[in-house]
Amino acid sequence: MVDLKRQYEKIQPEIDEAVIRVIRSTQYINGPEVKEFQKELEEYLGVKHVIPCANGTDALQVSMMALGLEPGDEVITTSFTFVATVEVIALLGLTPVLVDVDPDTFNIDPEAFKKAIGPKTKAVVPVHLFGQCAHMEPLLDIARENGIFVIEDNAQAIGADYLFSDGRSQKAGTLGKLGCTSFFPAKNLGCYGDGGAVFTNDDETAARLRMIVNHGMEKRYYHDEVGVNSRLDSVQAAILRIKLRRLDEYAAARQRAADYYDKAFEGEPNLQTPERSSFSTHVFHQYTLKTSKINRFELQDFLMSEGIPAMVYYPVPMHMQKAYDDPRYKKGDFPVTEDLSKRVISLPMHTELDDEQLRHITEKVLSFFRKQ
Ligand SMILES: *Cc1c(COP(=O)(O)O)cnc(C)c1O
């Protein structure tokens, strides 16, 4: 699905030099590389504070801790997401309230969010799934009117631009009170291990986040609140600095591959290519097709047999997962999510796809449909 080897080989001298530099510096935790990366990412995103942490799941967790959410508080998010979003809500004793998604963007439906608001609603987590922003403008309005914190799960859309109706644009993850991201290797800005970060323009929340990720202390060995240990390694920060400089170039390579796929599948009536919304650029963390009239697991097996990876993100919605079984929800509650989870399939998507590979992949996909 991703070709991290070829990507690494193109920047190998720079990466190797940086990694060795950190090892020789012996400043493995919170060294200068972390501070520099933090500053560079703040500048890239146009956000006041970036708080690095250990992974994207932690970013979501410490965000909810920093906002002072308490057991019983409700947090609204979608059923069509990666588990981490719902996991941290449950882990903190908060109540996840699930809503359906928009069938074209796979992202939270602002109207569904509005309908789900109750007296205990404290936060909403729009997930910018597959590389494209949720419809944030109406969502931000609804959240503001109801005094609800917005925590963007931006693990899949770092670098995407949200386009406001007045012509302004802003980087994904910087629109809400907090934005969370992951530097997992396969993400658009991936390191060579685990990593994550929280973004915010709010000084007070930033200060609190910096304390929480560091055992709840500001002054060493004086703990003002219960925190966690969640830090970004200096080695990972050094790698991320190099890759951040190429993030836009990487996004362009992904967009180019997506355009190739789009064009190739134009004439196939049983394949729906990903929608490009008017309010967001798309950085194609995934290239996800909606299939009709086929069993996409058969397509997946066929592609596998041809040496082409394909994945289903995500086959089971959160409200139908064993771990999140909840008497409030049952099969049929989120028809769009359930329909998507039966139809979607994602093709290889990364920065190193060349025309030869794209031609091979698209020809094999189309040949499967011709055989039906
Ligand atoms: C990857 C991902 C996360 C979690 O990130 P990790 O770094 O793997 O913990 C959270 N939400 C979404 C939508 C993701 O894709």
Side-chain angles (χ1 to χ4, degrees), residues 55-57 60 81-82 84-85 127 153 155-156 182 184 187 195:
N55 56 66
T57 308
L60 288 161
T81 182
F82 178 61
T85 324
V127 183
D153 183 340
Q156 300 191 4
S182 162
F184 183 80
K187 300 281 154 97

Side-chain angles (χ1 to χ4, degrees), residues 52-314:
C53 64
N55 56 66
T57 308
D58 275 7
L60 288 161
Q61 180 180 329
V62 298
S63 291
M64 288 175 203
M65 291 169 73
L67 293 176
L69 303 191
E70 286 177 0
D73 287 349
E74 291 181 356
V75 180
I76 298 175
T77 193
T78 53
S79 190
F80 194 59
T81 182
F82 178 61
V83 67
T85 324
V86 179
E87 187 176 55
V88 299
I89 300 172
L91 206 60
L92 292 172
L94 311 170
T95 306
V97 172
L98 301 174
V99 300
D100 215 345
V101 293
D102 175 90
D104 295 321
T105 64
F106 312 114
N107 285 326
I108 190 166
D109 173 357
E111 278 308 305
F113 157 50
K114 192 174 179 176
K115 282 201 197 102
I117 295 171
K120 290 186 185 163
T121 308
K122 290 286 159 58
V124 59
V125 186
V127 183
H128 304 316
L129 207 68
F130 303 151
Q132 187 169 233
C133 294
H135 202 176
M136 291 298 286
E137 205 164 353
L139 184 137
L140 289 167
D141 287 342
I142 297 163
R144 194 179 322 108
E145 282 158 21
N146 291 277
I148 293 168
F149 294 123
V150 177
I151 306 169
E152 298 171 73
D153 183 340
N154 194 33
Q156 300 191 4
I158 193 159
D161 290 305
Y162 187 81
L163 314 168
F164 285 90
S165 47
D166 65 4
R168 269 185 317 125
S169 87
Q170 218 172 308
K171 286 285 175 203
T174 68
L175 291 95
K177 175 91 169 172
L178 296 166
C180 301
T181 205
S182 162
F183 305 124
F184 183 80
K187 300 281 154 97
N188 287 39
L189 179 58
C191 57
Y192 294 172
D194 274 310
V198 184
F199 323 139
T200 186
N201 284 308
D202 186 275
D203 297 342
E204 219 171 290
T205 312
R208 190 149 184 217
L209 279 162
R210 288 190 209 289
M211 255 173 55
I212 290 172
V213 297
N214 193 25
H215 298 296
M217 68 183 177
E218 202 178 308
K219 190 172 163 195
R220 190 170 276 194
Y221 307 126
Y222 291 78
H223 305 276
D224 298 339
E225 64 181 303
V226 177
V228 295
N229 170 17
S230 188
R231 295 179 291 231
L232 181 70
D233 288 352
S234 301
V235 167
Q236 301 305 342
I239 292 163
L240 286 165
R241 290 182 68 197
I242 294 164
K243 292 185 69 174
L244 176 60
R245 283 179 225 135
R246 290 170 175 80
L247 185 57
D248 289 342
E249 181 195 311
Y250 286 160
R254 289 169 177 274
Q255 283 154 356
R256 196 185 144 272
D259 290 344
Y260 190 108
Y261 281 141
D262 279 2
K263 213 176 232 148
F265 300 140
E266 230 166 36
E268 177 46 61
N270 294 321
L271 271 183
Q272 221 175 313
T273 56
E275 179 102 346
R276 317 290 212 274
S277 71
S278 57
F279 48 76
S280 173
T281 61
H282 202 320
V283 293
F284 286 97
H285 175 58
Q286 299 298 345
Y287 184 86
T288 303
L289 293 160
K290 280 190 270 182
T291 62
S292 327
K293 297 189 184 142
I294 60 151
N295 177 340
R296 75 301 157 61
F297 289 118
E298 281 174 19
L299 171 59
Q300 185 183 27
D301 288 345
F302 168 73
L303 291 173
M304 287 290 185
S305 74
E306 297 284 346
I308 300 168
M311 293 291 282
V312 171
Y313 307 113
Y314 298 96

Side-chain angles (χ1 to χ4, degrees), residues 297-341:
F297 289 118
E298 281 174 19
L299 171 59
Q300 185 183 27
D301 288 345
F302 168 73
L303 291 173
M304 287 290 185
S305 74
E306 297 284 346
I308 300 168
M311 293 291 282
V312 171
Y313 307 113
Y314 298 96
V316 184
M318 286 307 125
H319 69 286
M320 288 160 70
Q321 296 281 357
K322 194 170 153 197
Y324 300 97
D325 183 41
D326 186 315
R328 289 173 302 155
Y329 302 118
K330 59 183 187 312
K331 196 169 169 223
D333 280 352
F334 306 110
V336 178
T337 293
E338 289 171 35
D339 179 55
L340 289 172
S341 69

Side-chain angles (χ1 to χ4, degrees), residues 20-31:
I20 289 174
R21 188 177 62 227
V22 173
I23 293 171
R24 291 190 177 149
S25 79
T26 71
Q27 294 185 294
Y28 306 134
I29 304 281
N30 278 337

